[in-house]
Amino acid sequence: VAGQVHDAGRGTVLTLPTTVSEKGFRQIYATPLRWRLEMGYGVGDRVELLADLLYSKVSAKDVRVGDVAGLDLKARFADYREAGWSLGARYFLTDTGPWRPNVAVWATMSWLDRIPATFSVPAAGVTLADTPFYDKGVVYGGGADLGVLYRVSKRLSLGASAGLRYQSKPKSLEGLAGTGLENLNDVGSRLYVPVAVSTVLHF
């Protein structure tokens, strides 16, 4: 819902005047599907301590990001791959009945793969392949969820939740040094809304 993959800027590429417009995460990447394996330990009738493992991969689109001397400048970023873990706590608003609405808070640490970008000017037949953009490394985040569990049986519940999360920016690389566009990747943090469905096994 907020956050840019790259900022706007003006510079020169191959000695030609170049203009780049900012692009958000949703413009560059499709909506990612994230898999989570979550474990919880009840410390009371209404409080649960949580830990999870997560993995996500999403491919980028081929996007027009600006122009070089009036010709379209396009970019295609590498896949966004993320793996990590979270710690959190969940509080149930009620401890009776099959429906159990709840709130949860999370702190997350994830590892991102290196993200280069391929820039091209198709009309001129020019391609700058695998330009270093973001380095691999650790990003941090946190947020909160609202959810509900429905108890199907003693051992099984079905759940749904939605929330708001923040993730810090990845480490920038100087792949555009000398072009005047070095600051394009000084952004990269994002705010997103995870919407989840889950199957819960009780032990």
Side-chain angles (χ1 to χ4, degrees), residues 7-112:
D7 208 349
R10 292 178 181 272
T12 57
V13 174
L14 302 176
T15 72
L16 298 174
T18 301
T19 301
V20 176
S21 56
E22 65 182 42
K23 296 296 178 184
F25 191 89
R26 290 178 64 185
Q27 294 171 289
I28 298 294
Y29 292 100
T31 300
L33 182 64
R34 172 180 283 181
W35 299 95
R36 292 174 55 199
L37 176 63
E38 179 184 309
M39 296 146 282
Y41 178 75
V43 295
D45 291 336
R46 294 195 178 190
V47 179
E48 196 173 40
L49 300 181
L50 305 168
D52 75 13
L53 301 175
L54 60 91
Y55 175 77
S56 179
K57 175 186 173 182
V58 59
S59 298
K61 309 169 189 175
D62 193 7
V63 177
R64 182 187 184 277
V65 295
D67 67 81
V68 177
L71 302 176
D72 285 351
L73 172 64
K74 293 191 174 183
R76 188 174 187 91
F77 288 81
D79 292 348
Y80 188 96
R81 291 190 180 93
E82 175 187 4
W85 56 273
S86 303
L87 297 176
R90 178 178 289 125
Y91 177 76
F92 292 94
L93 304 181
T94 178
D95 58 359
T96 59
W99 293 96
R100 302 195 71 192
N102 58 80
V103 295
V105 292
W106 294 94
T108 301
M109 183 170 69
S110 299
W111 288 263
L112 296 184

Side-chain angles (χ1 to χ4, degrees), residues 5-7 13-14 18 20-21 28 62-66 68 72-77 115-122 125-133 175-176 179 181 184-185:
V5 173
H6 64 77
D7 208 349
V13 174
L14 302 176
T18 301
V20 176
S21 56
I28 298 294
D62 193 7
V63 177
R64 182 187 184 277
V65 295
V68 177
D72 285 351
L73 172 64
K74 293 191 174 183
R76 188 174 187 91
F77 288 81
I115 303 176
T118 294
F119 296 98
S120 63
V121 184
V126 174
T127 299
L128 302 176
D130 293 327
T131 304
F133 209 79
L176 296 171
T179 65
L181 301 170
L184 289 185
N185 54 1

